Amino acid sequence: MHVELLYHTPDPERAIATAARLCYAPVGASELMETMPEERVKSVLSTIMGSGHFSTLEHASYTFAIEGVSRALTHQLVRHRIASFNQQSQRYVKFKNGLEVVTPPSIAENDETHVVFDEAIKACLEAYDALLNAGIPAEDARYLLPNASETKIVVTMNVRELLHFFNLRCCNRAQWEIREMAHKMLELARPTAPYVFADAGAPCVSGVCPEGKMTCGNPYPRVTRD
Ligand SMILES: Cc1cc2nc3c(=O)[nH]c(=O)nc-3n(C[C@H](O)[C@H](O)[C@H](O)COP(=O)(O)OP(=O)(O)OC[C@H]3O[C@@H](n4cnc5c(N)ncnc54)[C@H](O)[C@@H]3O)c2cc1C
């Protein structure tokens, strides 16, 4: 799995604080962006994160390039409706020279299950090739491609959505592959806006686990903003 932060709003914390301050300031956003002292940026952010004035978080956004993940992962990822996506197409890209797949560790760690998995994938790909060679369009032949197929996707989320995404997908209840990806995204985003992302992650990082009987019972260490 390869996760890269392609780009993000410059100075995201200042951009968010500017949007918040504009509501109460006699001057414009441009002047606030340039002149607000660093301590003021931090105190405004503290108010936002404490008060839930989260529309201000929508003014900073992040774009990630994600590769080497399965279609099983991206099917879950694209359920996040506030995010924007573009994904490598199985209609326009023909996997004539084979297709990389993601093998779940639970399968890979056992020789017998690994063989079962590899043989099933091989059979799918042979049938896919045979359909392409018979002139079937890729958009139809792809019906045979497995959930394990590797894919590439670009995703953009604003900070409000990103925090929500981390809340759901960094949690131990989330499926292992999307959880691994969410943690990589958080590792990349955190240094760019350390205050905003300080307690990002599963709900137990900043509060109480909401999972009830479904809890993993293994909370992450608690983090609080200074
Ligand atoms: C552990 C786990 C298990 C899951 N299991 C399943 C499963 O078995 N089956 C399944 O189908 N899905 C499952 N999901 C997916 C889940 O139901 C959500 O579709 C997915 O997590 C996206 O969450 P969301 O809708 O909050 O996020 P987003 O789509 O990113 O939306 C963000 C927020 O915007 C608001 N919002 C967005 N759209 C609307 C709208 N139309 N109306 C009102 N408010 C809106 C909501 O407040 C929402 O929380 C699972 C998710 C997790 C994390």
Side-chain angles (χ1 to χ4, degrees):
M1 174 188 302
H2 180 71
V3 180
E4 189 180 334
L5 176 55
L6 281 183
Y7 42 82
H8 59 80
T9 302
D11 210 340
E13 293 190 333
R14 179 166 289 272
I16 291 165
T18 293
R21 275 290 292 138
L22 180 70
C23 304
Y24 313 103
V27 298
S30 161
E31 188 175 332
L32 288 168
M33 192 77 190
E34 275 176 29
T35 60
M36 209 186 328
E38 270 312 309
E39 318 81 69
R40 189 71 179 123
V41 169
K42 196 161 174 193
S43 76
V44 173
L45 291 175
S46 172
T47 306
I48 292 169
M49 302 314 282
S51 68
H53 188 12
F54 292 152
S55 61
T56 54
L57 302 175
E58 296 167 20
H59 294 286
S61 59
Y62 286 69
T63 298
F64 297 89
I66 295 155
E67 298 188 3
V69 295
S70 71
R71 280 252 166 183
L73 180 153
T74 58
H75 185 78
Q76 299 170 81
L77 177 61
V78 300
R79 293 292 301 278
H80 291 275
R81 294 158 291 178
I82 314 295
S84 307
F85 305 99
N86 281 94
Q87 181 166 20
Q88 183 186 55
S89 169
Q90 290 181 338
R91 292 185 71 199
Y92 301 120
V93 178
K94 288 182 184 166
F95 300 96
K96 278 264 179 206
N97 300 318
L99 173 74
E100 297 297 321
V101 295
V102 174
T103 309
S106 66
I107 294 171
E109 71 196 10
N110 175 308
D111 288 348
E112 277 176 36
T113 54
H114 206 166
V115 168
V116 171
F117 185 84
D118 284 349
E119 282 178 355
I121 298 285
K122 190 162 166 264
C124 286
L125 294 182
E126 281 172 3
Y128 170 79
D129 259 347
L131 291 182
L132 290 182
N133 290 338
I136 299 297
E139 69 174 14
D140 292 339
R142 69 169 166 168
Y143 278 58
L144 289 173
L145 296 179
N147 266 335
S149 305
E150 275 197 8
T151 185
K152 305 178 195 342
I153 193 164
V154 173
V155 52
T156 300
M157 295 189 199
N158 66 47
V159 168
R160 185 180 202 172
E161 175 67 351
L162 205 45
L163 289 171
H164 176 68
F165 175 79
F166 291 146
N167 215 243
L168 292 175
R169 303 298 184 172
C170 290
C171 172
N172 284 328
R173 286 264 298 124
Q175 185 257 351
W176 66 269
E177 193 185 8
I178 196 167
R179 187 173 69 238
E180 185 181 324
M181 185 195 72
H183 279 286
K184 285 180 187 288
M185 289 165 67
L186 177 52
E187 274 168 33
L188 291 166
R190 185 172 272 140
T192 69
Y195 193 81
V196 167
F197 291 113
D199 64 355
C204 54
V205 172
S206 58
V208 175
C209 174
E211 291 289 337
K213 273 195 256 174
M214 306 289 263
T215 183
C216 71
N218 185 24
Y220 289 97
R222 277 292 287 277
V223 173
T224 45
R225 284 193 186 80
D226 52 4

